[in-house]
Amino acid sequence: MNLTLATKIVDLPGVRAEHAMKLELLGVHNLGQLMVHLPHRYEWIRAQSGLADLEPGVIGSAVGEVTATKISGFGRKARFQAVLSDETGRLDLVFFNQAFLAKKIHAGMFLRVQGKPAKHGPGLQMSNAQFTIIPFDEVEQLDPNQDDEYRPVYPATEGLTSQQIHGIILRVLDQACLLLEDHLSDEYRQTRAVPSLRDAYRMIHAPETEEDVLSARRRLAYDELLMLQLGVHMKRAHLRRTLKAPPLPRTPEINERILSRMPFALTDSQQRVVDEISRDLAIETPTNRLVQGDVGSGKTVVALDAMLLAIAHGHQAALMAPTELLAEQHFLSMTEMLKGSSVSVELLTGSMPGADRERVVSKIACGECDLVIGTHSLVSESVAFHSLAVAVIDEQHRFGVEQRAMLRVKGSQSKSSEHEAETPHVIVMTATPIPRTIGLTIFGDLDISTIDKLPPGRTPVITKHVTPEQRSTVYHWVNEKIKSGDQVFIVVSAIEPGGKSDGSIRDLRSLMRELEGGELNDVHIAALHGRLKRDTREHIMHRFRAGKIDCLIATTVIEVGVDIPNATVMVIEDADRFGLAQLHQLRGRVGRGDKPGVCVLIGNPKTEDGIARLRAMVETNSGFELSEKDLEIRGAGDVFGTRQSGAPPFKVADPFKEFELLEMARRDAADWISNSPTLDRQADILARRRLLKAHGQWLGLGDVG
Ligand code: ADP
Ligand code: MG
């Protein structure tokens, strides 16, 4: 029979219908999918003549028949025991906390076990052994004199063992490999020391040595990284080729006017980033720049500078913030800075009354408004700009790649047909520092600027972790701080009581009542959360800023951007319930003025992750270090899977560990795209097809080429 990669599993030689069905459950429907159903680990099956050859304290593997089973103990203490026998002797198996195995393992079955046996009475015992059940039809083929074998272990399912999957794959592997066409030429592969696709799949499914597996994985990981990088570079080349943004050169007069609006001298670090951005904006190639800087590093004025440059050239600018509170705050502070100038500033958020909204939208459309500050409602369909030249996205980590793309589109609607492909310069800002590797991988289409120094006069925030029992002491101390003129944030993870009935979580309402009647009974407390109306929220923030409120009990609405220099104390209740990035952002709300800040984390973490997060917070103030720790704690897959990126996780590659491979893929992709921007040369066709399949959709590559 002639196989193709599309051949259905049932039609493969020697595959039983029930096995084909099980493979379907694993998402494997055809030969191609079977080839990419990769082992998740490998095991050495050592040559073994009998159970009697096992030695205490030495990892070994053996095959035997189950001759007896029993469960002893109850509930969580229950353990499952089995006796394994062969002609040479016996081995006792014990599995703690795995009473359910009684349903899987029965007398008469053959098992292959692997583990470290220990002396137990006269014989040997293996605890929590790794085991595979050998299907009955394979028992006869067991060869007691087999050689060492390095064997893949596949994700399996009820009724289909890893070994059965391996058997199916081995039967078709040679034929399937012949069907695999390589998108990399022999010469290309040789210079990079990666094997062909055929060899890679053969080695990953049927390795003879550990080196085979490493070599195969290297090729497959390289491909994943290369494809993503090709996609990102292709997109970038496309944007550069087809889109034009208004050039915004910085003349001495314009520079003078902008500087006169700045309330302070920029730090060297800010100035460097302003210069980098100015260089971008001066030409008609659309800017795509990520500005990263730790919380409080002063990203806002850098953004304002770029936006004023657009306005000075007679265009519009927009700033998109992730929360209404932050948008409102930017609106207030920028209105203040631009007081008395000719710049017209408007706010656009989702909760605005319809009539206000319409008024602003029409001002945006006719160009009457120069600077718009808003939430994601800025990218809603009804909003069309007259002439958008600079779009800034604040706290990019809260937005997806899609919103960035949508904001870019806003520019192209803004002009009539004579400038069909007008687009704004886009600047995104983040305080959640993106580890270099992720930056390169996901945001490979962005240029990156870093504000690496805080404005002068800051003293680092001191962070302490205390247990809930010390709460009262903390709030007594908070009272003293307030008496000496400081302001305080208290952050809770819930507004209402509920969820956990044992009262272990502090909610806003209960805590407020508790403090008003207790430690903080003689100071001004107010509550702030997302369910309040905009007017109320603004009123409260206004009074807090003016010092009429001493202490704000809030939810994470204050997480990003809130800037009250007189606030010096941040208390976070149930701190272990927050993520590391979130905790760091919250902490960034204090220590913004010249008085030192203190952050108190109250919590009784129950999980290892929770403990690790709080420890990391106490140990470092650096957002960069924290983001590296965060990666360690959460693992790479999680980071990629989240809204941070919108990018699909990798199956094989681990860009955090395989940094050199990533760099190589990046360089190769850049070269490749610069020689063949749309990959339409004959030799590139296969790579192009695979690239579009893997990343075309989320990168929006449909329109490329
Ligand atoms: P973030 O990077 O977190 O957005 P902000 O832009 O909100 O930081 O700035 C944090 C605080 O630092 C604000 O109060 C801002 O006015 C102040 N600030 C920013 N740049 C400077 C500077 N060069 N000198 C003094 N204060 C500054
Ligand atoms: Mg900010």
Side-chain angles (χ1 to χ4, degrees), residues 568-580:
T568 56
V569 177
M570 163 70 60
V571 179
I572 305 177
E573 290 272 2
D574 300 302
D576 49 306
R577 290 171 58 85
F578 297 97
L580 204 42

Side-chain angles (χ1 to χ4, degrees), residues 23-152:
L23 277 170
E24 301 250 327
L25 291 180
L26 292 169
V28 177
H29 308 283
N30 59 36
L31 181 57
Q33 288 165 337
L34 184 65
M35 283 299 102
V36 298
H37 186 68
L38 301 180
H40 54 73
R41 64 183 174 89
Y42 293 81
E43 61 188 10
W44 269 111
I45 306 298
R46 300 292 180 186
Q48 193 61 248
S49 43
L51 290 172
D53 295 333
L54 290 171
E55 288 174 48
V58 179
I59 293 182
S61 73
V63 174
E65 183 180 356
V66 179
T67 48
T69 65
K70 80 169 180 200
I71 293 184
S72 51
F74 292 98
R76 304 235 270 129
K77 292 265 165 64
R79 57 199 157 136
F80 174 70
Q81 288 173 280
V83 177
L84 212 57
S85 307
D86 70 2
E87 309 84 67
T88 67
R90 69 175 255 176
L91 173 70
D92 289 336
L93 300 175
V94 55
F95 298 91
F96 297 100
N97 288 322
Q98 298 182 58
F100 63 88
L101 288 178
K103 296 209 183 79
K104 282 179 97 165
I105 298 178
H106 307 287
M109 276 181 170
F110 282 78
L111 299 186
R112 166 172 287 111
V113 295
Q114 194 164 21
K116 199 191 274 185
K119 266 210 176 334
H120 184 71
L124 289 180
Q125 187 184 58
M126 209 182 257
S127 305
N128 293 338
Q130 286 193 14
F131 69 91
T132 26
I133 297 170
I134 300 171
F136 285 107
D137 52 359
E138 285 172 26
V139 169
E140 281 172 17
Q141 303 161 18
L142 284 176
D143 175 5
N145 302 315
Q146 74 166 11
D147 290 335
D148 283 5
E149 188 190 340
Y150 194 55
R151 177 181 292 178

